[in-house]
Coordinates of all heavy atoms in Angstrom, one line a residue:
P63 N 0.8 -1.2 0.0 CA 0.0 0.0 0.0 C 0.9 1.3 0.0 O 0.5 2.3 -0.7 CB -0.8 -0.1 1.3 CG -0.9 -1.6 1.6 CD 0.4 -2.1 1.1
H64 N 2.0 1.2 0.7 CA 2.8 2.4 0.8 C 3.5 2.6 -0.6 O 3.5 3.8 -1.1 CB 3.9 2.3 1.8 CG 4.7 3.5 2.0 ND1 4.6 4.3 3.2 CD2 5.7 4.1 1.3 CE1 5.5 5.3 3.1 NE2 6.1 5.2 1.9
R65 N 4.0 1.6 -1.2 CA 4.6 1.7 -2.5 C 3.6 2.1 -3.6 O 4.0 2.9 -4.4 CB 5.3 0.3 -2.9 CG 6.5 -0.1 -2.1 CD 7.2 -1.3 -2.7 NE 6.3 -2.4 -3.1 CZ 6.0 -3.4 -2.3 NH1 6.5 -3.4 -1.0 NH2 5.2 -4.4 -2.7
D66 N 2.4 1.6 -3.5 CA 1.4 2.1 -4.4 C 1.0 3.5 -4.3 O 0.8 4.3 -5.3 CB 0.1 1.2 -4.3 CG 0.3 -0.2 -4.8 OD1 1.3 -0.5 -5.4 OD2 -0.6 -1.1 -4.4
A67 N 0.9 4.0 -3.0 CA 0.6 5.4 -2.8 C 1.7 6.4 -3.1 O 1.5 7.5 -3.4 CB 0.1 5.6 -1.3
F68 N 2.9 5.9 -3.0 CA 4.1 6.7 -3.2 C 5.0 6.1 -4.2 O 6.0 5.3 -3.8 CB 4.8 7.0 -1.9 CG 4.0 7.7 -0.8 CD1 3.3 6.9 0.1 CD2 3.7 9.1 -0.9 CE1 2.5 7.5 1.1 CE2 2.9 9.7 0.1 CZ 2.3 8.9 1.0
P69 N 4.8 6.2 -5.5 CA 5.6 5.5 -6.5 C 7.1 5.7 -6.4 O 7.9 4.9 -6.8 CB 5.0 6.1 -7.8 CG 3.7 6.6 -7.5 CD 3.7 7.0 -6.0
S70 N 7.5 6.8 -5.8 CA 9.0 7.1 -5.7 C 9.6 6.1 -4.7 O 10.9 6.1 -4.6 CB 9.2 8.5 -5.3 OG 8.7 8.7 -4.0
T71 N 8.8 5.3 -4.0 CA 9.4 4.4 -3.0 C 9.5 3.0 -3.6 O 9.7 2.0 -2.8 CB 8.6 4.4 -1.7 OG1 7.2 3.9 -2.0 CG2 8.5 5.8 -1.1
Q72 N 9.3 2.8 -4.8 CA 9.2 1.4 -5.4 C 10.5 0.7 -5.3 O 10.5 -0.5 -5.1 CB 8.9 1.5 -6.9 CG 7.5 2.0 -7.2 CD 6.4 1.0 -6.7 OE1 6.6 -0.2 -6.8 NE2 5.3 1.6 -6.2
H73 N 11.6 1.3 -5.4 CA 12.9 0.6 -5.4 C 13.7 0.7 -4.1 O 13.9 1.8 -3.6 CB 13.8 1.1 -6.5 CG 15.0 0.3 -6.7 ND1 16.2 0.8 -6.2 CD2 15.3 -0.9 -7.2 CE1 17.2 -0.1 -6.4 NE2 16.6 -1.1 -7.0
S74 N 14.1 -0.5 -3.5 CA 14.9 -0.5 -2.4 C 15.9 -1.6 -2.5 O 15.7 -2.6 -3.2 CB 14.1 -0.5 -1.1 OG 13.4 -1.7 -1.0
V75 N 17.0 -1.5 -1.7 CA 17.9 -2.6 -1.7 C 18.2 -3.0 -0.2 O 18.0 -2.2 0.7 CB 19.3 -2.3 -2.3 CG1 19.1 -2.0 -3.8 CG2 19.9 -1.0 -1.7
E76 N 18.4 -4.3 0.0 CA 18.7 -4.8 1.4 C 20.2 -4.5 1.6 O 21.1 -4.8 0.8 CB 18.4 -6.2 1.5 CG 16.9 -6.5 1.5 CD 16.5 -7.9 1.7 OE1 17.4 -8.7 1.9 OE2 15.3 -8.2 1.8
E77 N 20.5 -4.1 2.9 CA 21.8 -3.8 3.3 C 22.0 -4.3 4.7 O 21.2 -4.1 5.5 CB 22.0 -2.3 3.2 CG 23.4 -1.8 3.3 CD 23.4 -0.3 3.0 OE1 23.2 0.1 1.8 OE2 23.7 0.5 4.0
S78 N 23.1 -5.0 4.9 CA 23.5 -5.4 6.3 C 24.0 -4.3 7.1 O 24.8 -3.5 6.7 CB 24.6 -6.5 6.2 OG 24.0 -7.8 6.3
I79 N 23.4 -4.2 8.3 CA 23.8 -3.1 9.3 C 24.1 -3.7 10.6 O 23.6 -4.8 10.9 CB 22.8 -2.0 9.4 CG1 21.5 -2.5 9.9 CG2 22.6 -1.3 8.0 CD1 20.5 -1.5 10.4
T80 N 24.8 -3.0 11.5 CA 25.0 -3.4 12.8 C 24.1 -2.6 13.7 O 24.0 -1.4 13.6 CB 26.5 -3.2 13.2 OG1 27.3 -3.9 12.4 CG2 26.7 -3.6 14.7
S81 N 23.4 -3.2 14.6 CA 22.5 -2.6 15.5 C 23.1 -2.5 16.9 O 23.7 -3.5 17.4 CB 21.1 -3.4 15.6 OG 20.3 -2.8 16.5
V82 N 23.0 -1.3 17.5 CA 23.5 -1.2 18.9 C 22.4 -0.6 19.8 O 21.5 0.1 19.3 CB 24.8 -0.3 19.0 CG1 25.9 -0.9 18.2 CG2 24.5 1.1 18.5
H83 N 22.5 -0.8 21.1 CA 21.5 -0.2 22.0 C 21.7 1.3 22.0 O 22.8 1.8 21.9 CB 21.7 -0.8 23.4 CG 20.7 -0.4 24.4 ND1 20.7 0.8 25.1 CD2 19.6 -1.0 24.8 CE1 19.7 0.9 25.9 NE2 19.0 -0.2 25.7
W84 N 20.6 2.0 22.0 CA 20.6 3.5 21.9 C 21.5 4.1 23.0 O 22.1 5.2 22.8 CB 19.3 4.1 21.7 CG 18.4 4.0 23.0 CD1 17.9 3.0 23.5 CD2 18.1 5.1 23.8 NE1 17.2 3.3 24.7 CE2 17.3 4.7 24.9 CE3 18.4 6.5 23.8 CZ2 16.8 5.5 25.8 CZ3 17.9 7.3 24.8 CH2 17.1 6.8 25.8
M85 N 21.6 3.5 24.1 CA 22.4 4.1 25.2 C 23.9 4.0 24.8 O 24.6 4.9 25.3 CB 22.2 3.3 26.5 CG 20.8 3.6 27.1 SD 20.6 5.3 27.7 CE 21.8 5.3 29.0
E86 N 24.3 3.1 24.0 CA 25.7 3.1 23.5 C 26.0 4.3 22.6 O 27.1 4.7 22.5 CB 25.9 1.8 22.8 CG 25.9 0.5 23.7 CD 26.1 -0.7 22.9 OE1 26.9 -0.8 22.0 OE2 25.4 -1.7 23.2
C87 N 24.9 4.8 22.0 CA 25.1 6.0 21.1 C 25.1 7.3 21.9 O 25.8 8.2 21.7 CB 24.1 6.0 20.0 SG 24.1 4.6 18.9
A88 N 24.1 7.3 22.8 CA 23.9 8.6 23.6 C 24.8 8.7 24.8 O 25.2 9.8 25.2 CB 22.4 8.6 24.0
G89 N 25.0 7.5 25.4 CA 25.9 7.5 26.6 C 25.6 8.5 27.7 O 24.4 8.6 28.1
D90 N 26.6 9.2 28.1 CA 26.4 10.1 29.2 C 25.7 11.4 28.9 O 25.5 12.3 29.7 CB 27.7 10.4 29.9 CG 28.7 11.1 29.0 OD1 28.4 11.2 27.8 OD2 29.8 11.4 29.5
Q91 N 25.3 11.6 27.6 CA 24.6 12.8 27.2 C 23.1 12.8 27.7 O 22.5 13.8 27.8 CB 24.6 12.9 25.7 CG 26.0 13.1 25.1 CD 25.9 13.2 23.6 OE1 25.0 13.8 23.0 NE2 26.9 12.6 23.0
L92 N 22.6 11.6 28.1 CA 21.3 11.5 28.6 C 21.3 11.6 30.1 O 21.8 10.7 30.8 CB 20.6 10.2 28.2 CG 20.3 10.1 26.7 CD1 19.7 8.7 26.4 CD2 19.4 11.2 26.2
R93 N 20.8 12.7 30.6 CA 20.7 12.9 32.0 C 19.4 13.5 32.3 O 18.7 13.9 31.4 CB 21.9 13.8 32.5 CG 22.0 15.1 31.8 CD 23.3 15.8 32.0 NE 23.4 17.0 31.3 CZ 23.7 17.1 30.0 NH1 23.9 16.1 29.3 NH2 23.7 18.3 29.4
P94 N 18.9 13.6 33.6 CA 17.6 14.1 33.9 C 17.4 15.5 33.2 O 18.3 16.3 33.1 CB 17.6 14.3 35.4 CG 18.6 13.2 35.8 CD 19.7 13.2 34.8
G95 N 16.2 15.6 32.5 CA 15.9 16.9 31.9 C 16.2 16.9 30.4 O 15.9 17.9 29.7
V96 N 16.9 15.9 29.9 CA 17.3 15.8 28.5 C 16.2 15.0 27.7 O 15.8 14.0 28.2 CB 18.7 15.2 28.3 CG1 19.0 15.0 26.8 CG2 19.7 16.1 28.9
L97 N 15.7 15.6 26.6 CA 14.7 14.9 25.8 C 15.4 14.2 24.6 O 16.2 14.8 23.9 CB 13.7 15.9 25.2 CG 12.7 15.4 24.2 CD1 11.7 14.4 24.9 CD2 12.0 16.5 23.6
A98 N 15.1 12.9 24.5 CA 15.6 12.2 23.3 C 14.4 11.8 22.5 O 13.5 11.2 23.0 CB 16.3 10.9 23.8
K99 N 14.4 12.2 21.2 CA 13.4 11.8 20.3 C 13.8 10.7 19.4 O 14.9 10.8 18.9 CB 13.0 13.1 19.4 CG 11.9 12.8 18.4 CD 11.7 14.0 17.5 CE 10.5 13.7 16.6 NZ 10.7 12.7 15.6
I100 N 13.0 9.7 19.2 CA 13.3 8.7 18.2 C 12.4 8.7 17.1 O 11.2 9.0 17.2 CB 13.3 7.3 18.9 CG1 11.9 6.9 19.5 CG2 14.4 7.2 20.0 CD1 11.8 5.5 19.9
D101 N 12.9 8.5 15.9 CA 12.1 8.4 14.7 C 12.8 7.3 13.8 O 13.8 7.6 13.2 CB 12.2 9.8 13.9 CG 11.3 9.8 12.7 OD1 10.7 8.7 12.4 OD2 11.2 10.8 12.0
V102 N 12.2 6.2 14.0 CA 12.9 5.0 13.4 C 11.9 4.2 12.4 O 12.0 3.0 12.3 CB 13.4 4.1 14.5 CG1 14.6 4.7 15.1 CG2 12.3 3.7 15.5
Q103 N 11.1 5.0 11.7 CA 10.3 4.4 10.6 C 9.5 3.2 11.0 O 9.6 2.2 10.4 CB 11.2 4.1 9.4 CG 11.9 5.3 8.8 CD 11.0 6.4 8.4 OE1 10.8 7.4 9.1 NE2 10.5 6.4 7.2
G104 N 8.7 3.3 12.0 CA 7.9 2.2 12.4 C 8.5 1.2 13.4 O 7.9 0.2 13.8
Y105 N 9.8 1.3 13.7 CA 10.5 0.4 14.5 C 10.5 0.8 16.0 O 11.3 0.3 16.8 CB 11.9 0.2 14.0 CG 12.5 -1.1 14.2 CD1 12.0 -2.3 13.6 CD2 13.6 -1.2 15.1 CE1 12.6 -3.5 13.9 CE2 14.2 -2.5 15.3 CZ 13.7 -3.6 14.7 OH 14.3 -4.8 15.0

């Protein structure tokens, strides 16, 4: 349905990636009062 509604999304390729826990990326930057927004395309 998404591909049909948005023809520009017809082509994609599979790519191997490494996944890490988000705390490994943010580390000590996350402390009380800090807002972290996630936008991970349905994930």
